[in-house]
Amino acid sequence: TREMRTLRTILGRVAGLSTFTWLPYPVSAHEVYVLPKSTVAQDIATPSPNPFSSIPAHLGDFLSWSVAAILIIAAIFLISVSRACEQAFDFFLKAIKRYAPLVARITVGGCFIACAHYQALFGPELPFSSFGGNSALLTVVLYCLGGCFLLGLFARVAAVVALIVFGAAVFEFGGYMFTYLNYLGEILVMLLLGSGAFSVDRWIQKGAASARTPSFLEPYAFLIVRVCFGVAIFFASFYAKFLHSNLALDTVNDYHLANFFFHFDPLFIVLGAFLIESLIGLFFIIGFEIRFAAIFFLAFLSLSLWYFGEVIWPHLVLIGLNLAMIAHGYDRYTLGAFLGRKTHLEPIL
């Protein structure tokens, strides 16, 4: 029957979301926006080599760089939890923490306006045309959502509408939306925290109790966005550097990146990038060296934008979220907060 066919379609797409494999369009992760669409489609359609297969030929380099990474991480950790450093920066870190929700709100507002302007949902590989005749309606909705978030006007109502838009994208693009899970985190932050300070809502209500977020919701907001951000980073890296490593390989070869990385084998460079990005995602998820991971990611992203000449608007969400992570730092559910529970001071980086 027609109802059974519809049910099977819905269940099939839900199953695809859970397994990361249902991909109805030739889409690409953030770092391969620069590849031609024909190349992306071909790389996805053909089998990709396993980046870990490059380790035996570069075992010495792999071990030495692994040891160097461990030493750097350990040094950053020791500096971050130094009592003298924590006390010296404690006032500053607490002062900037209150601006993190504002940074998150401005970020998601600006991103929705950019999506409407460029006629693509979250990234250029997800054009409005994928939604058929609803492009004009989607444009208006995203402009309105962006304006509400930027001004801090009816932010929770706008967040509910944004959740519907994200749900429609999941239904249309399936498991690939894990790449844009950072948007979901931003939307949920707006739903939990509302407009917050420096907003039209707060000005209209003049700081009334109804304008403030219930305190029991606040600790969960940045836990959610932090985990969503980390998962999105990991999935984008997993998709383009492991599952379809040909995408990253073509990027390395086409832009001669081996010349900048000690002339390593391209597949070994892909492995290194995959491990680094996965580690950054893990750090955000567990809440370890959050500010260091955000600063490193911003530097990595800036070099990528400069060297590849990529368009900036799809990366605005990454830039804004990293800034929000730097401002907010650690919440009570982070590994860093657990390690510093006796001093009630949070790590610097």
Side-chain angles (χ1 to χ4, degrees), residues 199-215:
S199 65
V200 173
D201 280 346
R202 182 62 60 89
W203 177 75
I204 292 175
Q205 300 180 36
K206 301 185 185 301
S210 59
R212 298 193 180 100
T213 304
S215 59

Side-chain angles (χ1 to χ4, degrees), residues 43-321:
D43 287 346
I44 292 175
T46 56
S48 293
N50 186 339
F52 288 93
S53 65
S54 65
I55 292 179
H58 298 274
L59 184 59
D61 292 320
F62 179 79
L63 293 176
S64 61
W65 281 103
S66 297
V67 171
I70 292 172
L71 292 176
I72 292 172
I73 292 171
I76 293 296
F77 173 74
L78 293 176
I79 294 173
S80 295
V81 298
S82 166
R83 181 69 63 87
C85 291
E86 287 180 334
Q87 290 176 341
F89 287 90
D90 183 58
F91 177 80
F92 173 74
L93 295 180
K94 288 181 178 178
I96 64 173
K97 191 182 288 285
R98 66 190 293 252
Y99 296 103
L102 174 64
V103 174
R105 177 163 58 80
I106 291 176
T107 296
V108 70
C111 287
F112 274 122
I113 289 177
C115 290
H117 177 75
Y118 289 99
Q119 295 289 287
L121 190 61
F122 309 138
E125 76 278 26
L126 308 180
F128 285 179
S129 58
S130 301
F131 295 92
N134 297 314
S135 297
L137 175 61
L138 190 57
T139 301
V140 173
V141 169
L142 291 188
Y143 269 126
C144 291
L145 290 177
C148 287
F149 287 134
L150 280 178
L151 296 174
L153 180 65
F154 308 125
R156 285 195 174 96
V157 175
V160 172
V161 177
L163 280 176
I164 296 174
V165 173
F166 192 88
V170 171
F171 187 78
E172 183 67 28
F173 300 109
Y176 182 70
M177 290 307 297
F178 275 91
T179 302
Y180 292 107
L181 206 64
N182 40 32
Y183 272 93
L184 179 61
E186 288 265 39
I187 294 168
L188 292 176
V189 165
M190 295 301 100
L191 187 63
L192 292 179
L193 299 184
S195 298
F198 312 103
S199 65
V200 173
D201 280 346
R202 182 62 60 89
W203 177 75
I204 292 175
Q205 300 180 36
K206 301 185 185 301
S210 59
R212 298 193 180 100
T213 304
S215 59
F216 70 92
L217 292 178
E218 293 178 358
Y220 302 102
F222 274 85
L223 165 65
I224 292 172
V225 73
R226 177 168 50 78
V227 172
C228 287
F229 191 27
V231 172
I233 294 171
F234 174 80
F235 179 74
S237 183
F238 170 81
Y239 182 87
K241 295 183 176 67
F242 184 84
L243 185 63
H244 299 293
S245 60
N246 280 330
L247 293 168
L249 274 174
D250 279 340
T251 304
V252 171
N253 290 324
D254 291 354
Y255 287 87
H256 310 289
L257 296 183
N259 295 334
F260 301 96
F261 294 97
F262 309 100
H263 297 280
F264 286 144
D265 179 76
L267 190 60
F268 188 67
I269 295 175
V270 171
L271 173 65
F274 171 62
L275 292 177
I276 290 172
E277 292 177 13
S278 299
L279 194 62
I280 291 174
L282 177 64
F283 277 16
F284 282 129
I285 292 171
I286 67 176
F288 180 73
E289 297 193 5
I290 293 175
R291 292 191 177 95
F292 172 68
I295 293 171
F296 184 87
F297 194 0
L298 279 175
F300 182 81
L301 183 60
S302 299
L303 288 174
S304 175
L305 291 173
W306 170 76
Y307 184 77
F308 294 114
E310 297 179 74
V311 291
I312 295 179
W313 77 266
H315 302 87
L316 290 177
V317 65
L318 301 177
I319 296 171
L321 273 174

